[in-house]
Amino acid sequence: MTPNIKPLIAGNWKMNGLKAALAEIDTVAAALSASPNQKCEAALCVPATLLSAAVLHAKGKVSIGAEDCHYAESGAHTGDISAEMIADCGARYIIVGHSERREDHNETDAMVKAKVEAAYRAEQVAIICVGETEAQRRGHEALSVVETQLAGSIPDSASAENTVIAYEPVWAIGSGLTPTAQDVAEMHLHMRNLLTARFGEHGKKMRLLYGGSMKPGNAAELLSVDHVDGGLIGGASLKAQDFLAIIAACEAL
Ligand code: PGA
């Protein structure tokens, strides 16, 4: 954690969730409204098909986000969704540059940056994802890979208000593996130093999330690492009880 930064516990449902899954949001919202003075913010990023309904079910207790956007405001881009459309649904966050998109859709840092600018244009908060592969970690390139991704993916107009960074080692996503607390600490300090050098006070205050196999059982350890200001949670965000347990771990720190 970083003093004076409100932690963010953000779920990423990925390509999961039919209308029935909205009941999980009801459970999260009900639990959070029963304990009003939360020190952590909760968000759920859901498939575009559920965005509008999710906002209603969240009842203002959980922020709702999307998982990607197109860089353009509108136009001839069949099947794509603009940041303005996401904002129109009542969302607040957009995940940009997740490793699954960087890999499945060949998204480059430049493309990610254009999407982040689109998120700002629509007054959304961008959750920008970075992280090394297993081979890069083994080759001692993790710090430099993330440094390059941060340099290329974050626009100059980033601020502590419009941007959240999520460090997600690719090999930790969905694998049940996590880096050691020491490795997370090293990466998050590196990111904090780079962001502070580039953005000054805003870099000091930008929220830095850890993501990759964060679960109720390891959340307290990961969230207590210096400069870890929350989590981006995939699998364990699909069930309200698991997600609430991670929020509780954050609240208890
Ligand atoms: P996971 O996914 O928690 O299932 O590892 C994290 C993510 O990809 O955001």
Side-chain angles (χ1 to χ4, degrees), residues 12 14 95 98-100 129 168 172-176 211-215 232-236:
N12 171 16
K14 312 192 179 187
I95 296 174
H98 191 281
S99 63
E100 287 152 16
C129 301
E168 299 204 306
I173 294 174
S175 64
S213 297
M214 188 183 279
K215 312 268 182 232
L232 183 57
I233 298 120

Side-chain angles (χ1 to χ4, degrees), residues 106-121:
N106 299 315
E107 289 189 5
T108 62
D109 288 336
M111 288 159 73
V112 172
K113 186 176 178 179
K115 290 177 179 214
V116 175
E117 281 166 342
Y120 298 167
R121 190 184 64 218

Side-chain angles (χ1 to χ4, degrees), residues 10-118:
N12 171 16
W13 279 12
K14 312 192 179 187
M15 198 171 74
N16 296 294
L18 303 177
K19 278 186 278 185
L22 294 166
E24 302 297 328
I25 302 181
D26 293 334
T27 306
V28 173
L32 296 183
S33 51
S35 49
N37 295 316
Q38 298 271 327
K39 73 173 185 214
C40 309
E41 180 184 354
L44 283 168
C45 298
V46 301
T49 48
L50 293 181
L51 274 177
S52 292
V55 168
L56 295 178
H57 284 255
K59 297 192 179 69
K61 304 297 172 198
V62 189
S63 303
I64 296 299
E67 301 172 7
D68 177 49
C69 67
H70 194 276
Y71 63 83
E73 190 174 336
S74 61
H77 302 286
T78 302
D80 278 314
I81 291 167
S82 71
E84 282 74 9
M85 291 170 174
I86 292 165
D88 193 42
C89 292
R92 174 167 161 70
Y93 288 96
I94 306 180
I95 296 174
V96 187
H98 191 281
S99 63
E100 287 152 16
R101 294 208 59 88
R102 289 180 187 262
E103 193 177 320
D104 295 356
H105 300 271
N106 299 315
E107 289 189 5
T108 62
D109 288 336
M111 288 159 73
V112 172
K113 186 176 178 179
K115 290 177 179 214
V116 175
E117 281 166 342

Side-chain angles (χ1 to χ4, degrees), residues 101-168:
R101 294 208 59 88
R102 289 180 187 262
E103 193 177 320
D104 295 356
H105 300 271
N106 299 315
E107 289 189 5
T108 62
D109 288 336
M111 288 159 73
V112 172
K113 186 176 178 179
K115 290 177 179 214
V116 175
E117 281 166 342
Y120 298 167
R121 190 184 64 218
E123 298 184 355
Q124 296 287 293
V125 179
I127 301 177
I128 305 175
C129 301
V130 296
E132 81 285 355
T133 63
E134 190 180 1
Q136 290 164 336
R137 165 69 54 183
R138 270 197 262 106
H140 305 287
E141 296 163 50
L143 295 177
S144 65
V145 165
V146 167
E147 182 165 347
T148 304
Q149 289 174 330
L150 289 177
S153 307
I154 309 179
D156 288 336
S157 50
S159 72
E161 288 77 37
N162 65 16
T163 303
V164 174
I165 306 297
Y167 167 57
E168 299 204 306

